[in-house]
Amino acid sequence: MSRISREEVARIAQLARLSLSEDEADAMAADLDTILGYVQKLQALDTEGVEPTAHVLPMATPFRADEPRPSLPPEAALRNAPESQGSAFVVPPVMDGEDEG
Amino acid sequence: MVEPLGTLSELRAELDDGGATSRGLVERALERAGEVGERLGVFRHLRGEAALAEADAADARRAAGETRGPLDGIPVVVKDNFSQQGEPTGCASKILEGYVSPYDAGAVEGLGRAGAIIVGRTNMDEFAMGSSNENSAYGPVRNPWDGERVPGGSSGGSAVAVAAGIVPVAFGSDTGGSIRQPASHCGVVGMKPTYGRVSRYGLVAFASSLDAHSAADAAVALAAVAGHDPRDSTSLPEPVPDYAAGLDGDVSGLTIGLPREYFVEEGVDPDVLARVREGVEVLQAAGAKVREVTLPHTEYAIAAYYLIATAEASSNLARFDGVRYGHRAEGATQLRELYERSRSEGFGAEVKRRILLGTYVLSSGYYDAYYKKALQVRTLLRRDFEAAFRECDVLATPTTPAPAFKLGENTRDPLRMYMADVYTVAAPIAGIPGISVPCGFAHGLPVGLQLLGPPLGEGTLLRAADAYQRETQHHEARPPEGGA
């Protein structure tokens, strides 16, 4: 039995804002199934009560004074924009009747 | 054909005794990059005039007696994921085609302060995702010892730039082994410092690392880029020691641990194991003590690493959406369509695979079983290393289970490709530094000896690696002229 179906891959792709062709979805489903099969080996370990390690080094979040500092000027920030207008990035309409969001 | 450039120490001596100028070295590096580099697919971008102007400035400083230090006027290269103001920063991805960085990475600033001349940007696996450099959107890098083989990845271009004598020092990034593994495959020294030792500011997602011919040269290069950077919240505040001054060749007080789980015969080329054991014997003969240690959770490291790394990647790469920079799909009539089409057109297959896997393991219903579990296993792996470092100062292991594999050999089987990282993934999981040092050949191809140290143990690693290189000549071997 496969661990991940093509339909599930398509659902995940939507969450990740990727659109896959049918062939791509098939290939990805097969690859992910192999990888997920391999990582099942972690289930053999008893981790009850073990703290997860999100960051390797024991560091507190560093704070700094809330003071104004120079930052990237708008024209430099916009220089790589595919489309801009004034000091804004231009994008197509956000809503188009329906969006499953 | 222009001669290969020498090591950093050699070039420094040539500059200091007047036998060479920085302009001359940069011209040679650029010429060699255009010949050998072109043939081996090493570069994404070369800086011609800009680098030569910087070389002239370095020559002027030297003439005025104001040389900034050992890297001043030396040509170096950076991987295509280091931001440099006014230069393309592409991560070897179509999605960043045309992007020009508006600022310098912290590590690039460090190189500028040291006077190093960045002559080019090296090819890599797209977004540093790969172990063979075959995932570049612009074609693979080839191994200079055998052009039909991979150089390793993801910093393949950086390792080859040093191995093929284009520059004496190269900078890359290493998370799962992206510097150490190619260094091993190409016969150069590759060092991954402790996470946080070198600023990640301006580096696309991963941790900075470097290649050189010798540990002594690596010590100089690391000093230039290490140190605290308040713009990177994970940057460590500890002062940077004088690594070069610590290279005294003395390993008599050093205890080397051999992790039992890394020396099992299964899945490892016996010639690789033999070279690594010989390397350990060299250090033992020089006075180091050797003892067996155990890292009992080793077999779970790859699974934990790839779950964590893909989860992080899926989140980190969300910013590439066709809005502010990079590739934008044409003709999208709605924002969501713009996101989906820009990302689908811009990312390559391995990047998509990792985004999908990472999104899956973070998604509702799977988070505890995969992501949280991997973080818990990471704790167990970290504790393994903490216990081992109570019994020894450094760990010695192979860097890779086999020498460089052939182009195309693993591309159809992503899981098999991930297995190439079996000895290098534990370091990022435990946050520890590691170095790969050439220790001879197997089947005519370079083999690397990996030394791992406790957090901020760079000085000890460099001292041990330097002591090893004082006793051996493996790092003096060079690939056939110009690379195969």
Side-chain angles (χ1 to χ4, degrees):
Chain A
M1 192 189 83
S2 69
R3 283 169 193 83
I4 184 163
S5 63
R6 201 183 79 180
E7 290 67 35
E8 197 148 24
V9 169
R11 185 180 70 82
I12 295 295
Q14 283 193 355
L15 290 175
R17 298 293 183 264
L18 290 169
S19 53
L20 303 178
S21 69
E22 295 209 346
D23 285 352
E24 262 186 313
D26 280 336
M28 288 291 175
D31 289 344
L32 296 190
D33 190 57
T34 307
I35 297 165
L36 290 171
Y38 175 74
V39 302
Q40 292 302 324
K41 67 189 306 170
L42 297 188
Q43 304 307 327
L45 275 175
D46 180 6
T47 52
E48 184 71 35
V50 176
E51 274 296 300
T53 299
H55 289 283
V56 275
L57 301 175
M59 287 180 75
T61 303
F63 287 94
R64 61 171 170 79
D66 186 17
E67 290 160 354
R69 291 177 304 171
S71 60
L72 210 56
E75 60 274 19
L78 286 165
R79 203 162 290 145
N80 283 294
E83 194 181 345
S84 65
Q85 192 180 322
S87 60
F89 298 101
V90 173
V91 293
V94 175
M95 290 196 281
D96 186 29
E98 58 176 325
D99 186 283
E100 73 230 55
Chain B
M1 164 107 63
V2 60
E3 288 288 301
L5 267 74
T7 66
L8 171 58
S9 320
E10 289 164 358
L11 299 187
R12 183 74 254 155
E14 285 180 42
L15 286 175
D16 289 343
D17 69 18
T21 61
S22 178
R23 169 171 271 269
L25 295 182
V26 169
E27 281 173 348
R28 279 171 61 197
L30 287 168
E31 197 175 331
R32 206 163 160 78
E35 294 171 354
V36 182
E38 178 72 26
R39 196 157 67 246
L40 298 175
V42 176
F43 287 95
R44 287 290 309 122
H45 176 70
L46 288 171
R47 296 178 74 230
E49 288 307 314
L52 288 167
E54 289 168 19
D56 288 341
D59 284 330
R61 284 195 294 273
R62 204 174 53 261
E66 291 166 2
T67 294
R68 292 178 182 167
L71 279 176
D72 198 355
I74 300 287
V76 302
V77 294
V78 296
K79 187 175 179 177
D80 195 25
N81 59 350
F82 283 61
S83 298
Q84 183 176 13
Q85 189 173 357
E87 305 290 342
T89 299
C91 298
S93 178
K94 293 278 185 206
I95 209 161
L96 273 170
E97 198 154 278
Y99 173 78
V100 174
S101 179
Y103 67 99
D104 279 340
V108 168
E109 287 175 350
L111 291 175
R113 279 193 299 272
I117 318 284
I118 297 171
V119 296
R121 309 180 56 80
T122 53
N123 199 356
M124 58 187 281
D125 281 304
E126 183 181 1
F127 284 108
M129 295 180 184
S131 309
S132 70
N133 226 115
E134 292 165 293
N135 293 335
S136 166
Y138 303 93
V141 180
R142 292 170 181 275
N143 191 310
W145 293 90
D146 177 347
E148 295 307 310
R149 289 179 187 271
V150 304
S154 65
S155 313
S158 290
V160 174
V162 174
I166 298 168
V167 288
V169 178
F171 294 83
S173 59
D174 182 330
T175 303
S178 280
I179 275 276
R180 290 163 290 151
Q181 189 246 19
S184 175
H185 285 342
C186 295
V188 299
V189 170
M191 174 146 211
K192 173 213 178 295
T194 308
Y195 192 80
R197 179 74 294 186
V198 179
S199 170
R200 292 179 311 127
Y201 177 74
L203 186 64
V204 183
F206 287 123
S208 179
S209 306
L210 52 96
D211 292 295
H213 289 294
S214 69
D217 288 355
V220 170
L222 176 59
V225 292
H228 184 240
D229 185 344
R231 298 165 300 182
D232 172 1
S233 65
T234 58
S235 175
L236 296 170
E238 281 77 3
V240 179
D242 186 341
Y243 298 117
L247 306 180
D248 57 9
D250 183 7
V251 290
S252 58
L254 195 77
T255 302
I256 299 171
L258 303 184
R260 188 182 306 153
E261 296 79 6
Y262 284 58
F263 285 88
V264 291
E265 311 288 331
E266 191 191 330
V268 191
D269 186 311
D271 288 12
V272 167
L273 268 191
R275 290 302 90 73
V276 170
R277 288 206 172 96
E278 289 159 16
V280 173
E281 283 162 15
V282 168
L283 285 166
Q284 196 169 17
K289 288 187 249 337
V290 175
R291 61 174 302 171
E292 191 179 86
V293 296
T294 178
L295 298 168
H297 297 95
T298 294
E299 68 168 300
Y300 303 102
I302 289 205
Y305 174 74
Y306 275 97
L307 286 172
I308 296 166
T310 55
E312 290 179 356
S314 72
S315 165
N316 282 334
L317 297 180
R319 71 191 67 175
F320 297 99
D321 55 10
V323 172
R324 290 154 300 161
Y325 40 69
H327 175 73
R328 171 180 285 202
E330 283 181 24
T333 56
Q334 196 255 355
L335 186 60
R336 183 177 176 136
E337 181 195 354
L338 177 82
Y339 293 155
E340 290 186 350
R341 284 185 37 214
S342 299
R343 289 164 63 80
S344 301
E345 291 168 10
F347 290 134
E350 177 63 16
V351 175
K352 288 179 187 170
R353 195 177 291 122
R354 293 198 191 193
I355 290 173
L356 290 170
L357 182 61
T359 305
Y360 180 75
V361 304
L362 288 174
S363 67
S364 174
Y366 299 103
Y367 181 90
D368 282 355
Y370 291 110
Y371 186 63
K372 186 177 169 206
K373 185 82 178 179
L375 293 183
Q376 289 175 313
V377 173
R378 181 184 210 177
T379 304
L380 300 176
L381 284 154
R382 188 166 52 83
R383 289 180 189 159
D384 283 358
F385 280 94
E386 284 165 2
F389 285 125
R390 284 194 283 273
E391 297 178 38
C392 64
D393 302 301
V394 300
L395 295 164
T397 80
T399 308
T400 63
F405 45 90
K406 292 203 161 157
L407 286 158
E409 194 174 320
N410 289 339
T411 42
R412 286 176 183 209
D413 185 345
L415 184 58
R416 197 164 146 202
M417 188 72 95
Y418 297 170
M419 294 297 168
D421 302 338
V422 61
Y423 298 132
T424 46
V425 291
I429 282 189
I432 60 174
I435 190 167
S436 178
V437 186
C439 67
F441 291 81
H443 323 289
L445 297 164
V447 177
L449 163 68
Q450 176 177 240
L451 300 174
L452 299 169
L456 294 175
E458 288 83 3
T460 309
L461 289 181
L462 288 164
R463 182 162 55 92
D466 172 64
Y468 174 77
Q469 293 191 315
R470 292 180 189 215
E471 304 290 329
T472 55
Q473 282 77 45
H474 302 304
H475 58 290
E476 291 169 12
R478 294 288 180 271
E481 177 55 31

